[in-house]
Amino acid sequence: MMTRTLKGSRSGGSLSPDSRWLICIAILALAPTLTGSSYVLNVGSLALAFAVLATSLNLIFGFTGLLSFAQVGFWGVGAYVAAIATSDYGISPWLAFLAGGAFTGILAILVGIPALRVSRASFVIVSLSFTLLATLLSRSWIDVTRGPLGIPGLPAPSIAFGDRVLIDGHDPLTFYCIMLGFAVLALGFMFALIRSPIGRILLATNQNEALARSQGINVKHYQLLAFSVAAAFSGMTGGLYIFHLGIVDPSIFDAYYSEMLLIIVILGGAGNFWTVIVAAFVLTAVPELLRFDPELRLVMFGAILVGAALVLPGGFGGYLRDTNLKRWRKEVRP
């Protein structure tokens, strides 16, 4: 009976769960292009940036089990590296944001080697200290970062052939498409990593680190790999997004970004890939919808978050997982 039920459930649906989520996210991602509104496109670009950043944090927190506050630090460092590469050395924005990702990926290895030697609780403090140190340097290292004034006048990513501009990053729709292309590649890479044997090892480490060690798995190496990959994509995201803003300053390390990323991962469901991406779009749009009254906006947004946390303690992804598990148990029960 169990075999018959499972076969029937497989043949009943033409689309896999991954395909359904992919269609849902594609609709969310393409919706801003249909509005023609520069404001909506700008919000959409920020949502794509949050989607990549939140998925990077999810790779560390949801799959590896390490709570990291360093993602915003890497996002800001990548932004500064890209800005300095363009403004001081004349490097194209297309190469500068990649340089920001490469720099943060290497920096994560240097930070992660000593940080992963401490306990998980201490790792949280080390990651937070890194972000605070990066913020301090951005304000104080004036010869390099220009201090509180930041680095203005950054060019948008564009492609020109002679006098003809083929791709103009100053246009909100064009930049949104650029950001969308980057997000697809970044999220696709992390999805492949999560579904690979490496991803299964990360989950095993998260669920029972001692058991994983007993099976001969070098836990620290895999944690360091995940930390470096997440940092690289965070750095690239920051390096690309600041060319849309046209300026980078110490506010890039604002605690708001850390709070938003953590909220997105928790409400989306730590360890769930697709629901975290959907949460990034929803939670980026909700503050904008509540912008009609600044004070009431904060109260309503806080109430929504508290209510969601109480109703869905495992996040939306955890709720769906538990619901599907209960349905499966009813189907296979003789």
Side-chain angles (χ1 to χ4, degrees):
M1 181 176 178
M2 176 178 177
T3 304
R4 185 170 61 252
T5 304
L6 293 177
K7 286 182 178 180
S9 62
R10 283 198 299 266
S11 61
S14 58
L15 293 177
S16 66
D18 287 341
S19 299
R20 294 168 186 165
W21 280 115
L22 190 59
I23 293 173
C24 176
I25 292 172
I27 294 173
L28 289 174
L30 294 176
T33 63
L34 304 177
T35 63
S37 170
S38 298
Y39 174 74
V40 174
L41 289 168
N42 291 333
V43 174
S45 296
L46 181 60
L48 290 171
F50 274 142
V52 178
L53 288 171
T55 304
S56 299
L57 177 59
N58 194 27
L59 181 63
I60 297 294
F61 179 41
F63 289 88
T64 310
L66 297 171
L67 177 57
S68 172
F69 286 99
Q71 296 313 117
V72 171
F74 291 127
W75 136 281
V77 170
Y80 266 101
V81 169
I84 293 170
T86 300
S87 61
D88 292 356
Y89 299 99
I91 297 176
S92 167
W94 299 104
L95 297 177
F97 93 92
L98 294 176
F103 183 87
T104 52
I106 296 172
L107 181 61
I109 295 176
L110 299 178
V111 173
I113 290 175
L116 290 172
R117 294 180 180 272
V118 300
S119 65
R120 294 196 176 196
S122 299
F123 178 84
V124 178
I125 299 175
V126 173
S127 65
L128 178 60
S129 300
F130 167 77
T131 300
L132 295 176
L133 178 60
T135 307
L136 180 62
L137 287 176
S138 69
R139 295 181 182 276
S140 304
W141 200 1
I142 298 177
D143 293 339
V144 176
T145 65
R146 308 335 184 242
L149 297 179
I151 305 175
L154 298 176
S158 303
I159 296 178
F161 185 76
D163 295 333
R164 184 180 179 184
V165 179
L166 302 178
I167 297 178
D168 184 8
H170 293 94
D171 177 54
L173 177 59
T174 302
F175 182 81
Y176 181 81
C177 293
I178 294 172
M179 198 72 194
L180 178 59
F182 166 72
V184 168
L185 293 176
L187 295 174
F189 181 90
M190 285 188 277
F191 178 75
L193 180 65
I194 290 168
R195 289 304 179 92
S196 71
I198 294 176
R200 290 192 287 271
I201 290 175
L202 294 178
L203 280 175
T205 301
N206 183 13
Q207 293 173 0
N208 195 323
E209 185 172 333
L211 181 59
R213 291 180 186 277
S214 68
Q215 299 300 312
I217 297 175
N218 193 325
V219 172
K220 299 303 179 185
H221 284 185
Y222 286 98
Q223 289 176 335
L224 186 62
L225 172 64
F227 190 56
S228 179
V229 169
F233 281 115
S234 296
M236 281 190 282
T237 306
L240 181 58
Y241 190 72
I242 50 104
F243 290 117
H244 175 58
L245 298 177
I247 184 174
V248 61
D249 57 45
S251 66
I252 196 76
F253 298 101
D254 197 305
Y256 166 79
Y257 296 113
S258 293
E259 295 168 1
M260 276 299 297
L261 292 181
L262 193 58
I263 289 170
I264 289 171
V265 173
I266 291 176
L267 293 187
N272 296 274
F273 183 82
W274 299 112
T275 51
V276 167
I277 299 175
V278 172
F281 279 92
V282 173
L283 293 177
T284 304
V286 167
E288 302 302 323
L289 296 175
L290 299 176
R291 194 175 286 276
F292 55 86
D293 188 328
E295 295 182 359
L296 182 61
R297 166 182 170 237
L298 294 177
V299 174
M300 293 182 66
F301 188 47
I304 292 173
L305 295 178
V306 172
L310 292 175
V311 176
L312 305 172
F316 185 62
Y319 169 77
L320 291 179
R321 183 180 61 247
D322 294 342
T323 301
N324 291 333
L325 182 60
K326 291 178 182 178
R327 184 183 300 115
W328 178 80
R329 286 174 175 171
K330 289 182 179 179
E331 291 176 353
V332 301
R333 186 176 298 166

